[in-house]
Amino acid sequence: MKPIVRFDKVTKSFGDTIVLRDFDFEMAPGERVVLMGPSGSGKSTVLRILMTLEDIQKGVVYLSEVPLWHERSRAGELRPAGEKYLRKMRSDVGMLFQHFNLFPNMTVLRNIIEAPMKVAGLSRAEAEARADELLARVGLSDKREAYPNSLSGGQKQRVAIARAMAMRPKLLLFDEPTSALDPEMVGDVLEVIKDLAAEHDLSMLIVTHEMGFARDVADRVCFFCDGRILEQGEPSQIFTAPAEERTRQFLRMVLHEAPTEEATG
């Protein structure tokens, strides 16, 4: 089976700081992978590269074995991709950000239907039907005509989930989806994500510090440290018997800081 995501010897730096160096990574279609690790280890950079928000200095990133940041010349050589090519590639990728990124001047409905109409070419009726189905799925049918500033943080994140799903992406990225939420709202949002994971054959790449959620939703957990994957495996192995001392240190720190995480996740 061809991987849906493949990083081949990718290097990414910000100025003199190298965040990823000769980074290799693969993800199978339908796989749900959690990236965890200390701040600054490169986890979110991987997501931003896949969303074409950050470019790369070396290597090649593939989506379904098609180069993401490069397009082929007529001679078959890879060259930096133009904006039209990048726009087409990113239509298969959805991302849920830490701070929702909803358009404040648009209703909930318009936030959800804008991309399907403008990018995917759906008619308004088709886009609204899809939006209504998703709003019902995330429990917000009554907020269809509301504006984001009238919603709670948890409601905003559920709208953001519906907006991402409205494009029917092949790959859905989550960057700390609960970090901006009040603790009592975390459980509801994580439950929506878990339900989506169970119901859709959707590839998910998730950066999170919610260890209970990671255990429940992930097929594979990767521990990031200094721009590389130090250790990876099934959740049961990583959380109960990690091989690396650095992984054990991180888990002790995170679980000690969030002793109620099992309940919320």
Side-chain angles (χ1 to χ4, degrees):
M1 185 180 297
K2 294 180 180 179
I4 188 167
V5 169
R6 181 160 66 92
F7 282 64
D8 183 14
K9 299 291 185 292
V10 169
T11 293
K12 169 65 183 174
S13 60
F14 296 97
D16 294 332
T17 303
I18 297 176
V19 181
L20 302 174
R21 187 196 299 272
D22 293 330
F23 178 66
D24 291 326
F25 173 70
E26 286 190 5
M27 222 181 121
E31 189 177 18
R32 297 185 290 272
V33 178
V34 164
L35 306 181
M36 67 176 190
S39 297
S41 59
K43 312 179 303 294
S44 293
T45 300
V46 169
L47 302 190
R48 292 179 65 82
I49 289 170
L50 286 168
M51 198 61 192
T52 70
L53 297 173
E54 299 288 352
D55 62 0
I56 59 178
Q57 279 77 44
K58 285 175 55 182
V60 185
V61 179
Y62 297 91
L63 281 180
S64 300
E65 289 299 278
V66 178
L68 174 60
W69 277 100
H70 300 82
E71 52 187 323
R72 294 192 184 277
S73 68
R74 291 183 177 179
E77 297 175 346
L78 292 179
R79 62 187 181 193
E83 180 55 35
K84 181 179 179 182
Y85 179 91
L86 291 174
R87 194 161 51 242
K88 177 179 179 292
M89 292 297 293
R90 76 168 69 100
S91 66
D92 285 333
V93 183
M95 186 163 178
L96 197 68
F97 297 88
Q98 296 180 31
H99 298 287
F100 325 126
N101 287 23
L102 299 177
F103 297 111
N105 60 327
M106 295 183 182
T107 64
V108 164
L109 178 65
R110 268 205 69 196
N111 263 280
I112 297 172
I113 68 175
E114 197 74 0
M117 289 171 59
K118 289 191 173 180
V119 179
L122 267 65
S123 69
R124 188 178 183 94
E126 290 171 322
E128 287 195 12
R130 188 177 293 185
D132 286 336
E133 179 185 335
L134 287 164
L135 284 171
R137 187 68 200 81
V138 300
L140 291 175
S141 294
D142 60 330
K143 302 296 183 181
R144 189 179 192 266
E145 301 301 329
Y147 285 86
N149 63 4
S150 70
L151 305 178
S152 69
Q155 288 172 333
K156 289 177 184 175
Q157 197 60 299
R158 282 187 279 155
V159 172
I161 292 170
R163 181 179 63 179
M165 291 294 293
M167 285 295 290
R168 303 215 170 143
K170 296 176 182 176
L171 174 66
L172 197 52
L173 311 174
F174 297 85
D175 188 10
E176 295 284 6
T178 60
S179 66
L181 301 180
D182 293 333
E184 64 269 22
M185 298 177 180
V186 169
D188 286 346
V189 171
L190 294 182
E191 200 60 39
V192 169
I193 297 172
K194 282 195 286 189
D195 288 348
L196 287 172
E199 293 175 13
H200 296 268
D201 186 22
L202 184 65
S203 306
M204 293 184 175
L205 188 57
I206 306 164
V207 171
T208 184
H209 281 92
E210 295 282 349
M211 297 298 102
F213 170 63
R215 274 193 291 264
D216 287 348
V217 77
D219 299 310
R220 175 166 48 118
V221 175
C222 301
F223 177 68
F224 250 77
C225 187
D226 298 327
R228 65 189 182 96
I229 296 174
L230 184 64
E231 179 173 5
Q232 60 183 309
E234 294 182 0
S236 58
Q237 182 262 310
I238 295 295
F239 288 115
T240 60
E244 299 289 337
E245 175 57 27
R246 185 67 186 87
T247 312
R248 292 193 287 271
Q249 290 174 355
F250 175 81
L251 288 172
R252 282 196 297 267
M253 178 187 70
V254 173
L255 295 173
H256 176 71
E257 288 179 355
T260 61
E261 224 165 31
E262 287 252 20
T264 61

